[in-house]
Amino acid sequence: MNIQDINIKYKKVLIRVDFNVPLDAERNITDDTRMVKAMPTIQYALAEGAAVILCSHLGRPKDLSADSDDRQKYSLSHLVYHLSELSGAKVQFVDDTIGAEVEAAAAALPGGEILLLENTRFYKEEKAGDADFAKSMSELADVYINDAFGTAHRAHASTAVIAQYFDKDKRGFGMLMNAELTNARKLSHNPAKPVTAIIGGAKVSDKIQLLKNLIPVMDNILVGGGMAYTFLKAKGGAIGNSLCEDDYLEMAKDILAEAQKENTNIYLPEDSVIADNFAADANTQVVASDNIPDGWMGLDIGSKATQVYSDVIKASKTVLWNGPMGVFEMEAFSKGTFTVAQAVADATSDGAYTLIGGGDSVSAINKAGLAEKVSFVSTGGGAMLEFLEGKELPGVKAIEG
Ligand code: AMP
């Protein structure tokens, strides 16, 4: 059920949001994307006259003792001012997540206003998925809404366990969560062909399961980034000092064989921009990716590979992109990633459905200024990948029950 299908008029509504925003040393928010993306759900609930209770985690607090630095650093109190600016509503903050003080504040909260609770991860019970902790939170509200797609793959107290304490007609997805799921399903259920996945990033171990599961779905898989070199070595290439995970060479071979069986084209970069040092000002040259001299490492796909990848992308009707093609943070190794970003945008304007999922490709598409030119940019890297790997997301299962 979605929030719009539930009667929340003048009710107390507890919304699990993902306000896990980056903060600088002065506790200023450096990127408010996650807060902005939660606004449609919050605004909708406020407009319905609901009293809106928000909970979220922030960062990974380790020292949970009273007055610890982590409690200072990761307090949601740092978000109150910006939340009131974004929502235009009155925001109260309570420096706990459960307990008498929170219950009193929730009970007294008028419709059309927001009560922000303290970081759910200040209780170890959150990550442990503790039932009593979840039940205490549930007692604050009549309705529970999960809009935290970014943590939907975690079976934590506030993201999953809590849902069982609400009847089926009193729990549902927020608008962001619904949009994420709708878009993820476009890729996993009968996507328009040809379907192409662009998979990059540093480590093959992070994405190997995804690659495996994508083979039956995809017509083309374009491999870039550091992970390409494990495949190139598995095929007998010389990769110099490029990133390589030797433990995964066999699995890489299996994947290549499996793809051949399923008629899925796996592309490896035929050339690479190589460097004699992992540094922005390193000496560079472009060589064949399977003939990299010792002492040199591949840090971006080369111009031939970039051309091939762009052509495949532009000929596709559905595109998934996860992970950069090179060390795009350094200009000398960013061309492959930005050219691929442009090709994804071009494919979109030609009518393809394109989904960008995963932290670094999202920041690459933002850096390229093309985020508005693709079909959907996912907020949940890990959750999106697990969904596409075919895993059930605990946060989704708990609502659907
Ligand atoms: P991931 O988090 O696995 O998606 O990896 C993203 C990171 O991979 C980015 O910070 C890139 O700089 C890095 N990366 C991409 N290509 C390479 C490469 N060829 N060698 C080393 N690091 C890379």
Side-chain angles (χ1 to χ4, degrees), residues 200-201 224-226 229 242 271-287 292 295-303 306 321 323-341 360 364 367:
Y229 299 98
S242 305
D271 57 348
S272 291
V273 179
I274 61 170
D276 59 356
N277 194 4
F278 190 87
D281 60 355
N283 294 309
T284 64
Q285 49 178 317
V286 179
V287 300
I292 299 176
W296 292 74
M297 61 195 93
L299 295 184
D300 194 9
I301 59 174
S303 49
T306 303
W321 181 19
M325 297 290 97
V327 185
F328 73 102
E329 299 92 336
M330 300 181 196
E331 207 206 325
F333 316 110
S334 65
K335 202 161 172 217
T337 299
F338 290 138
T339 310
V340 158
D360 274 311
K367 226 171 140 183

Side-chain angles (χ1 to χ4, degrees), residues 37-72:
K37 296 261 185 180
M39 280 308 134
T41 298
I42 294 170
Q43 297 287 15
Y44 173 81
L46 291 170
E48 289 286 293
V52 175
I53 304 160
L54 298 180
C55 66
S56 175
H57 74 287
L58 175 63
R60 293 182 176 174
K62 290 198 179 67
D63 182 356
L64 301 182
S65 56
D67 301 324
S68 69
D69 284 351
D70 275 6
R71 278 193 182 258
Q72 270 298 314

